[in-house]
Amino acid sequence: MTRIVAIRPEPGLTSTLEAARVMGLDIAGVPLFEIRPLDWDCPDPALIDGLLIGSANAILHGGAQLGQIKGKPVYAVGQTTAATARDAGFEVAAIGKGGLQNVLDAVPAPMRLLRIAGAEHVPLTPPEGVSIETVIAYESAALPLEHSAIETLGDRPIVLLHSAAAASHFASECDRLHLNRGDLTLAVLGPRIASAAGAGWHSVHVSPHPSDSALLEMIRDMCV
């Protein structure tokens, strides 16, 4: 069976590994990123109607500032993020599928949203009557690909890439360690990520929808 390797940071890594194993996929985790909290200032809560959350890390690493906005409803990108918000005491108003823009498109106007994001985050276009203020609460710090982890990759593995930063960093690490890109297949969450990975890979497969479940289903079909 083809070995699949996920390099995303926690808590997403564990979520991906568990979902893949339920599908019967042979998957290993080689995290190449570590989430680190950043200092941020909370805007006046009176000027916020809701919270736009694109990752569980916004809640896990948001720090004491979250206490000022605990009563604001959360518009979450997916089930994992929603569950994390509930565990932290937030009310979840909506749970999206297929990306944060889809969540935003369904937000009722008028609405003033606070987006708690990471240093790397996708641009969003709010619908009419909806405004967004963005704060940066955490960053994803790149880690080196250790020589000891190369064995985990196995022979012609499929590597999962969930962000453009992950794609760029993984490509750089492969070049640094003189790994042959032609021996590696990439499965990525979207076209922007594929572009960031560059050329020279055995093949690059783009998920039909920007969700972890769709990505894993695509990989399952590839492995049949």
Side-chain angles (χ1 to χ4, degrees):
M1 181 179 292
T2 302
R3 168 58 61 88
I4 301 156
V5 179
I7 68 169
R8 66 189 307 199
E10 294 292 4
L13 178 61
T14 294
S15 176
T16 294
L17 295 179
E18 290 177 349
R21 286 166 183 157
V22 168
M23 293 183 179
L25 299 173
D26 177 19
I27 191 167
V30 181
L32 290 189
F33 293 88
E34 178 182 78
I35 302 300
R36 297 172 183 172
L38 298 173
D39 292 332
W40 60 284
D41 295 321
C42 184
D44 183 353
L47 302 178
I48 300 169
D49 299 318
L51 308 177
L52 186 64
I53 307 296
S55 169
N57 286 314
I59 304 297
L60 294 172
H61 300 280
Q65 297 280 26
L66 294 177
Q68 301 181 48
I69 48 178
K70 188 63 70 71
K72 306 298 179 180
V74 167
Y75 295 84
V77 70
Q79 294 290 345
T80 299
T81 300
T84 302
R86 289 194 187 98
D87 289 345
F90 287 91
E91 174 189 348
V92 176
I95 304 172
K97 293 181 179 179
L100 198 56
Q101 182 65 55
N102 289 342
V103 178
L104 182 58
D105 290 341
V107 170
M111 182 73 69
R112 298 169 298 180
L113 294 173
L114 176 65
R115 181 185 185 187
I116 305 175
E120 188 208 8
H121 53 275
V122 298
L124 298 173
T125 303
E128 185 175 355
V130 177
S131 63
I132 303 176
E133 181 172 356
T134 301
V135 294
I136 306 303
Y138 64 93
E139 66 178 353
S140 183
L143 303 174
L145 177 61
E146 302 291 348
H147 283 277
S148 58
I150 295 177
E151 288 187 10
T152 302
L153 296 178
D155 182 34
R156 293 189 177 276
I158 299 173
V159 180
L160 277 62
L161 300 176
H162 287 77
S163 71
S168 177
H169 178 55
F170 181 71
S172 295
E173 285 299 282
C174 287
D175 293 345
R176 179 179 69 85
L177 295 172
H178 306 292
L179 299 180
N180 183 7
R181 292 192 182 195
D183 290 335
L184 304 172
T185 294
L186 304 184
V188 306
L189 208 58
R192 188 170 71 95
I193 301 172
S195 296
W201 309 100
H202 179 266
S203 59
V204 179
H205 302 263
V206 180
S207 174
H209 303 289
S211 69
D212 201 36
S213 58
L215 180 64
L216 291 174
E217 287 169 4
M218 178 186 72
I219 293 170
R220 181 180 58 188
D221 292 341
M222 289 166 55
C223 294
V224 171

